[in-house]
Amino acid sequence: MSTDKTGSVMVVGGGIAGMQSALDLADSGFYVYLVERSSSIGGVMAQLDKTFPTNDCSM
Amino acid sequence: MTSVSGEEGNFEIKLVQHPRYIDMEKCIACGVCAEKCPKKVTDEYDAGLGKRKAAYVKYAQAVPLKYAIDEKNCIYFKNGKCKACEKFCPADAVMFEDQPKELTIHAGAVLIAPGCSVYDPGVYDTYGYKKSPNIVTSLEFERILAATGPFSGHLLRPSDHKEPQKIAWIQCVGSRDMHPGSQPFCSAVCCTYAVKEAIIAKEHQKGELDTAIFYIDLRTHGKDFERYYNRAREAGVRFVKSKISTILPDGDTDNLLIAYTDETGRRIEETFDIVVLSVGFSPSKDALDLAQKLDLELDQYQLAVTSSFEPVQTSKPGVFVCGTFESPKDIPQSVIEASASAAMAESVLAASRGTMIQTKEAPAEIDVRGAAPRTGVFVCNCGTNIGGFLDVPAVVEYAKTLPNVVYADDNLFSCSQDTQEQITQIIKEQNLNRVVVAACSPRTHEPLFQETVLNAGINKYLFEMANIRNQCSWVHSDHKDDATAKAKDLVRMAASKASLLEPLAEPEIAMNQSALVVGGGLAGITAARNLARQGYRAYLVEKNDILGGQALNLYETWQGEDVQKHLAGLIQDIESDPNIDILTGTQVKRVEGFVGNFQTVVDTAGKEQVIEHGVAIIATGAQELKPDEYLYGEDPRVLTGLELDRKFIDDDPGLNEINSAVFIQCVGSRIKERPYCSKVCCTHSVKSALKLKETKPEMNVFIIYRDMRTYGLREELYREARAKGIVFIRYDVDKDLTVAKDQKGINLRCTSYVLQREIEIRPDLLVLATAMVAPAENPLAQLFKVPVNDDGFFVEAHVKLQPIDFSTKGVFVCGLAHAPKPVDEAVAQGLGAASRAATLLSKEKVLGNAIVSNIEAQLCRGCQLCLQACPYQAISFFEDRVACEVNQAVCTGCGSCAVACPTGAASILHFDDQEVLTMVEAAFN
């Protein structure tokens, strides 16, 4: 299919929001560049012990 | 990111990839580099409480699980000598010559989710944070509680590693504060996380632990958060509404003396072992830098500017924002916005969908049928979560003695990326054809391990999990021997089942690429509009004769946008969209089918029609409670919040006649029958109070409240209202609040907390901020087989990570049907639902459920008990054969038929009688 728009998206930030956007986009047919400043994704949520209000493990 | 050029549809972005000094292809994450590295560095992941090395990985489950060398701290980069990591690396992965790489990428849209920083209380150090190690931030306290944290999950205080007896939380540190360095906004998450930390701390401590939360307003405004708050109070967490004067060291002890003023003005002093500062969000430098390069407009807080009706659209076309850089918010709302921004990008780039994707080739499946079982058992330590409470090596040795087990070993974190690769490798080397992982819950981790075995060419249904954490090490943490014995039992049971497992195939289901959206309010309209723009057909069904839902009753958003104007624009948009069929005055009657192939019968004025669709979005809304108290319905001067909005919309001249107005908050919310917060009413009342003041500045306006929950950036309105002379009175809920009528007019009495006495007001207008309530009957829940909670709102698949999905595949929820929420959040969830739906609609076929019922034709005698038992109409009876048969595409694998079947003909694949009974037998062996 010829088109004048690029079928890829850059997502900046690999925290929970960036990861979810990247997943949705990739799952619906777009190539995703997930750009993260630090050496791994996960963001602040990876530092949390549990999450409210279910006390589930954050990891 | 160094620069960006181009425009929506075609951006060119230049990036610099910083050198890692470790070859990602070669690194096996063995950790030798970190072990040998002599340089200790403060660990940011442990919020500064622990140490890491200059060669490091952020945390054990990091993705990608590849080490990195921290150039700023590495001895070699400083002195030119050391290279211990290089010397000892067994994979030859260290490369000190690594250089920054410049990359150029092309993208049609840019999504930014840079987050916020956490407020640093050390800068102005009002609370002496830097002076005592026992004053910690809430993020540091998260690490103290965490099993992977500096104290391995033991609740100890930093100064002397003793178990604390008393812990205090100080709320609003760096938030709701006009002082330099602090943020005027409310960070929206700290109240609930403090409640969480107090509950978890109490669970950690074996003895008594006294916990006290010092707060201004307790803001547990999210879905189910109020219940959580109530639970904490029942568990003995103390909530003290107060102003903190000082926190000082208590003599020579490491304790801390908090001096505070309570609500009645009394000065009180109390000693604690640990003081947790509930720090809020601050704009991050990195985010500002990014925004600058993208040329985005920022607000007075240095956060991205958005609007209520376009909550993820930045000032620049083609650039979308989600998460806390938009405004302070919690995880579910960040996830909702993440999907919303994806939806926006998908609609902009719809024509280019699929042009750049690559598909992953799964390795060919090895046929194991007929081969003798060769089972591998992998026992997880889960850091110390399992390994700290039971004898993992003993469980491994035991597993090796079990029938058909040819391999067993333990892992530190079985879920880490390197372990996944190792497991795949071991499966191949050992020719395993059954795999057992003894770790945590299959609910969260089974899909991950199924993928692992799939990568080794093993059918994913040849995998079995034993939960030796949640159901063993965690609950028996005081009894190591018993916990070890139980773990052995659980592994034996799982291994016995594994021997009987058979490979299963997931059926392919064709996807009807259209959506049914039920509910034509703001959320439903938004979802339908976005799906249409993505190129999918949407059927928008509304039971009323007009579209708009609750938005029809709203005057302005909290940001001052005209709701009626925007709503009219949206309706006009969708009415002219050829991809949208609008069916007003229409109700859903019956629903048949499943993801990909739903057939829904709708009724429009007595005429039925069938809509075929692949997915469904439920956006059926909620209503404002019409109360039966405070003279409502008896006196025309008593209105609900929305009834006052109507007067604003109509520009009612009667409003000029009012000299005194009172708002009563939490009417019907946060009470025993309705123990939830309706989230929108505090902001709505403040907004309306300001409007009244604007209409007539000399009007006396009072707001009688319990906690003012003007969360996030809405705090600005609360501040403005106080500055403009609106009087806020916190009333004692345990004492009467009465509204009566006499010759002189309305007479309201309540007890003020601050004054500690009864007050009386005689308003000309009484506005009741009533609860948002779900419909009493919700037939859609039945029709789509999706759950509702005790309050009547729909229950999402996961409160944090799947706030739009249902457990039922292909059905999504948005708007007030999910929970009370304001306009911007309803729009975001509408967009989010469109994105979630598009993950399915964009495919021509989806994989169905393999774990379904199967009726053995030879054993079936056609009694049809299964047919009656099936809640999903998945079973048909064939008279010619006198037998029943399952439509496996409809079947959910619930097992009702297997229970009902008297002959044993019906059984659930992967959970048949033999597979389950062998586990029972193994349990008692």
Side-chain angles (χ1 to χ4, degrees):
Chain A
M1 188 169 64
S2 79
T3 164
D4 55 355
K5 287 185 180 173
T6 314
S8 61
V9 179
M10 175 175 76
V11 177
V12 187
I16 183 65
M19 291 193 290
Q20 183 65 53
S21 314
L23 283 170
D24 272 24
L25 287 161
D27 282 345
S28 51
F30 296 93
Y31 191 85
V32 180
Y33 300 96
L34 180 57
V35 180
E36 161 65 34
R37 176 178 282 266
S38 77
S39 60
S40 61
I41 57 174
V44 180
M45 189 175 169
Q47 284 178 281
L48 306 182
D49 174 40
K50 305 266 162 65
T51 57
F52 57 73
T54 49
N55 295 353
D56 278 349
C57 168
S58 189
M59 196 55 76
Chain B
M1 192 185 90
T2 49
S3 70
V4 61
S5 58
E7 53 179 24
E8 178 176 276
N10 291 294
F11 288 108
E12 184 178 285
I13 304 127
K14 295 211 186 303
L15 305 169
V16 174
Q17 187 168 27
H18 299 294
R20 198 178 187 104
Y21 305 107
I22 298 277
D23 188 334
M24 301 255 285
E25 300 290 319
K26 290 183 184 167
C27 175
I28 54 167
C30 65
V32 168
C33 56
E35 194 188 311
K36 299 295 179 189
C37 174
K39 178 69 183 176
K40 280 191 179 168
V41 182
T42 301
D43 189 353
E44 309 86 343
Y45 176 69
D46 259 345
L49 291 177
K51 296 278 183 199
R52 63 164 170 83
K53 297 293 187 63
Y56 73 109
V57 64
K58 271 210 290 189
Y59 49 96
Q61 302 98 320
V63 175
L65 193 70
K66 302 290 173 187
Y67 278 72
I69 294 172
D70 168 3
E71 187 186 333
K72 281 194 200 114
N73 290 296
C74 170
I75 295 173
Y76 170 73
F77 282 109
K78 270 191 177 159
N79 306 340
K81 278 188 211 144
C82 181
K83 290 195 172 184
C85 49
E86 191 182 53
K87 192 168 140 198
F88 289 99
C89 175
D92 194 21
V94 177
M95 42 178 202
F96 283 108
E97 68 284 4
D98 201 4
Q99 293 293 323
K101 285 184 201 69
E102 282 185 21
L103 308 169
T104 302
I105 61 173
H106 294 93
V110 175
L111 261 55
I112 60 166
C116 271
S117 297
V118 176
Y119 174 74
D120 178 359
V123 176
Y124 288 85
D125 214 4
T126 328
Y127 295 109
Y129 166 71
K130 279 183 160 166
K131 296 192 185 98
S132 167
N134 294 335
I135 303 181
V136 297
T137 68
S138 42
L139 194 60
E140 288 164 358
F141 195 71
E142 289 285 338
R143 299 311 306 151
I144 290 176
L145 291 173
T148 55
F151 308 139
S152 303
H154 297 293
L155 176 50
L156 304 173
R157 67 173 188 174
S159 73
D160 52 11
H161 291 200
K162 278 190 187 148
E163 288 190 359
Q165 312 290 310
K166 287 182 78 177
I167 306 179
W169 279 260
I170 313 292
Q171 297 307 108
C172 301
V173 176
S175 306
R176 300 182 69 186
D177 184 349
M178 300 300 280
H179 289 95
S182 293
Q183 298 301 329
F185 57 66
C186 157
S187 288
V189 297
C190 327
C191 283
T192 322
Y193 78 52
V195 170
K196 173 196 71 178
E197 290 185 350
I199 292 176
I200 304 279
K202 272 184 170 292
E203 284 175 5
H204 270 252
Q205 202 71 336
K206 305 212 169 58
E208 284 286 296
L209 178 71
D210 181 50
T211 52
I213 297 179
F214 293 89
Y215 71 100
I216 307 175
D217 292 279
L218 215 288
R219 292 183 171 172
T220 44
H221 49 268
K223 188 177 184 179
D224 286 336
F225 295 180
E226 184 72 12
R227 277 191 170 81
Y228 196 57
Y229 171 32
N230 291 337
R231 227 175 86 199
R233 285 196 297 192
E234 282 159 22
V237 177
R238 288 189 288 141
F239 290 86
V240 188
K241 187 169 163 78
S242 54
K243 251 188 140 82
I244 304 293
S245 314
T246 54
I247 305 172
L248 294 167
D250 186 13
D252 291 337
T253 66
D254 290 336
N255 296 346
L256 297 152
L257 186 69
I258 299 184
Y260 66 95
T261 312
D262 80 358
E263 209 171 357
T264 61
R266 277 190 309 162
R267 276 187 60 86
I268 301 169
E269 289 187 347
E270 201 181 338
T271 305
F272 290 89
D273 299 316
I274 297 179
V275 174
V276 183
L277 304 178
S278 292
V279 289
F281 294 116
S282 294
S284 90
K285 281 204 184 75
D286 291 348
L288 294 183
D289 181 47
L290 179 70
Q292 211 162 36
K293 284 173 185 157
L294 285 162
D295 195 22
L296 302 183
E297 198 185 320
L298 301 179
D299 63 16
Q300 73 262 41
Y301 311 109
Q302 304 290 295
L303 300 172
V305 168
T306 59
S307 67
S308 300
F309 288 89
E310 292 194 305
V312 294
Q313 173 69 59
T314 67
S315 58
K316 187 166 177 166
V319 181
F320 308 100
V321 61
C322 53
T324 53
F325 187 51
E326 192 273 335
S327 66
K329 58 178 63 73
D330 59 11
I331 295 168
Q333 193 56 30
S334 297
V335 171
I336 287 169
E337 278 183 6
S339 287
S341 53
M344 292 297 287
E346 286 158 25
S347 63
V348 168
L349 305 176
S352 308
R353 189 193 301 275
T355 54
M356 285 182 70
I357 49 162
Q358 301 162 359
T359 43
K360 193 181 161 190
E361 298 268 331
E365 194 175 305
I366 300 162
D367 189 358
V368 303
R369 283 171 302 171
R374 289 180 59 80
T375 307
V377 178
F378 299 87
V379 185
C380 187
N381 282 287
C382 194
T384 56
N385 269 304
I386 297 170
F389 302 102
L390 57 86
D391 188 347
V392 167
V395 177
V396 170
E397 286 314 308
Y398 175 74
K400 287 178 182 166
T401 67
L402 295 169
N404 299 325
V405 173
V406 295
Y407 179 89
D409 205 351
D410 69 318
N411 307 116
L412 182 60
F413 284 102
S414 301
C415 58
S416 66
Q417 202 184 348
D418 65 323
T419 310
Q420 303 293 299
E421 283 159 23
Q422 271 172 30
I423 294 175
T424 308
Q425 209 49 43
I426 291 164
I427 294 171
K428 289 180 186 163
E429 283 166 16
Q430 302 281 333
N431 283 324
L432 302 179
N433 57 20
R434 303 288 188 283
V435 175
V436 172
V437 171
C440 51
S441 169
R443 246 187 91 72
T444 52
H445 282 70
E446 191 172 50
L448 180 78
F449 294 119
Q450 285 183 328
E451 173 105 15
T452 311
V453 301
L454 208 66
N455 286 336
I458 301 296
N459 182 284
K460 72 182 204 187
Y461 294 96
L462 298 173
F463 169 79
E464 185 64 22
M465 217 167 158
N467 187 344
I468 61 165
R469 188 185 74 177
N470 312 40
Q471 296 171 0
C472 191
S473 70
W474 277 356
V475 287
H476 307 299
S477 55
D478 289 338
H479 303 91
K480 191 167 183 174
D481 291 345
D482 292 341
T484 306
K486 180 169 170 181
K488 288 178 183 173
D489 291 346
L490 291 166
V491 168
R492 183 174 67 245
M493 291 162 70
S496 72
K497 182 180 173 186
S499 297
L500 299 179
L501 292 175
E502 290 290 332
L504 298 178
E506 291 169 343
E508 281 187 353
I509 302 166
M511 175 57 64
N512 178 327
Q513 290 168 311
S514 60
L516 175 73
V517 181
V518 189
L522 200 46
I525 289 172
T526 305
R529 180 168 171 257
N530 182 271
L531 282 173
R533 290 185 171 187
Q534 292 202 40
Y536 304 115
R537 172 151 294 277
Y539 299 91
L540 183 59
V541 171
E542 166 58 46
K543 73 171 192 289
N544 292 320
D545 293 330
I546 50 165
L547 294 173
Q550 288 303 332
L552 290 165
N553 303 317
L554 289 172
Y555 172 59
E556 277 182 355
T557 66
W558 76 270
Q559 302 191 79
E561 294 119 329
D562 182 334
V563 176
Q564 298 315 306
K565 201 178 105 192
H566 278 88
L567 184 63
L570 280 170
I571 293 173
Q572 208 175 4
D573 253 16
I574 60 165
E575 280 176 343
S576 60
D577 195 313
N579 272 342
I580 303 179
D581 279 353
I582 301 171
L583 297 145
T584 49
T586 302
Q587 274 185 300
V588 174
K589 285 284 163 200
R590 290 188 295 283
V591 180
E592 277 176 28
F594 43 89
V595 60
N597 297 284
F598 285 106
Q599 294 97 37
T600 297
V601 179
V602 296
D603 180 305
T604 313
K607 228 178 90 186
E608 289 194 349
Q609 63 170 311
V610 181
I611 297 174
E612 296 193 342
H613 55 104
V615 299
I617 294 173
I618 296 179
T620 45
Q623 285 97 38
E624 180 188 51
L625 173 76
K626 299 288 176 198
D628 53 6
E629 54 188 337
Y630 306 133
L631 300 180
Y632 180 79
E634 293 169 37
D635 190 302
R637 289 166 293 190
V638 182
L639 305 175
T640 66
L642 287 182
E643 287 163 0
L644 178 59
D645 268 36
R646 178 56 53 198
K647 290 190 186 288
F648 291 147
I649 295 169
D650 296 343
D651 208 3
D652 190 326
L655 293 171
N656 291 313
E657 309 302 314
I658 295 163
N659 292 311
S660 166
V662 173
F663 291 79
I664 304 178
Q665 298 306 111
C666 300
V667 176
S669 300
R670 303 180 65 190
I671 56 170
K672 209 173 166 196
E673 308 90 280
R674 223 173 278 111
Y676 62 89
C677 165
S678 295
K679 197 176 193 181
V680 300
C681 348
C682 279
T683 309
H684 193 184
S685 292
V686 172
K687 184 79 189 164
S688 297
L690 280 165
K691 171 72 181 167
L692 289 174
K693 268 282 186 197
E694 183 195 309
T695 313
K696 192 174 174 182
E698 64 274 26
M699 192 189 299
N700 291 313
V701 184
F702 304 87
I703 296 183
I704 299 178
Y705 73 100
R706 291 173 61 184
D707 291 280
M708 278 315 289
R709 294 183 168 173
T710 43
Y711 61 93
L713 305 186
R714 290 159 172 82
E715 184 68 9
E716 186 62 38
L717 281 183
Y718 183 25
R719 188 172 302 107
E720 186 189 338
R722 281 175 296 168
K724 290 197 170 151
I726 291 165
V727 180
F728 289 83
I729 301 165
R730 191 164 103 99
Y731 77 99
D732 189 339
V733 274
D734 297 325
K735 300 207 172 109
D736 285 343
L737 191 164
T738 58
V739 176
K741 198 158 70 164
D742 54 29
Q743 289 89 349
K744 284 187 275 175
I746 296 174
N747 176 358
L748 181 150
R749 284 167 177 276
C750 68
T751 303
S752 157
Y753 257 119
V754 175
L755 302 174
Q756 285 291 297
R757 55 190 280 194
E758 198 177 61
I759 53 167
E760 182 188 328
I761 311 173
R762 293 185 163 274
D764 310 323
L765 171 69
L766 178 62
V767 185
L768 307 178
T770 61
M772 185 130 26
V773 291
E777 297 277 308
N778 213 332
L780 278 186
Q782 279 284 315
L783 292 171
F784 280 102
K785 294 145 195 138
V786 288
V788 289
N789 65 16
D790 290 346
D791 306 322
F793 295 101
F794 285 96
V795 181
E796 61 275 42
H798 189 284
V799 289
K800 287 284 167 195
L801 303 178
Q802 291 175 289
I804 308 173
D805 298 41
F806 280 113
S807 300
T808 306
K809 206 171 176 184
V811 189
F812 305 93
V813 65
C814 60
L816 301 180
H818 164 259
K821 55 174 65 74
V823 165
D824 47 352
E825 293 170 24
V827 172
Q829 206 176 14
L831 286 171
S835 171
R836 299 300 302 145
T839 61
L840 296 168
L841 294 175
S842 59
K843 297 175 174 71
E844 279 170 10
K845 55 196 178 204
V846 290
L847 292 177
N849 194 4
I851 300 177
V852 289
S853 169
N854 182 48
I855 298 178
E856 280 293 335
Q858 286 157 317
L859 294 175
C860 179
R861 62 180 193 206
C863 73
Q864 297 173 57
L865 283 174
C866 57
L867 198 147
Q868 291 159 30
C870 177
Y872 300 98
Q873 294 93 44
I875 299 178
S876 314
F877 173 67
F878 292 89
E879 270 180 38
D880 50 339
R881 283 176 274 148
V882 200
C884 288
E885 208 171 276
V886 182
N887 178 351
Q888 295 188 332
V890 182
C891 176
T892 65
C894 75
S896 302
C897 55
V899 175
C901 179
T903 68
S907 64
I908 304 300
L909 299 174
H910 205 65
F911 291 94
D912 70 22
D913 283 358
Q914 235 193 327
E915 285 164 333
V916 175
L917 290 174
T918 188
M919 292 178 80
V920 177
E921 249 169 61
F924 291 105
N925 265 341

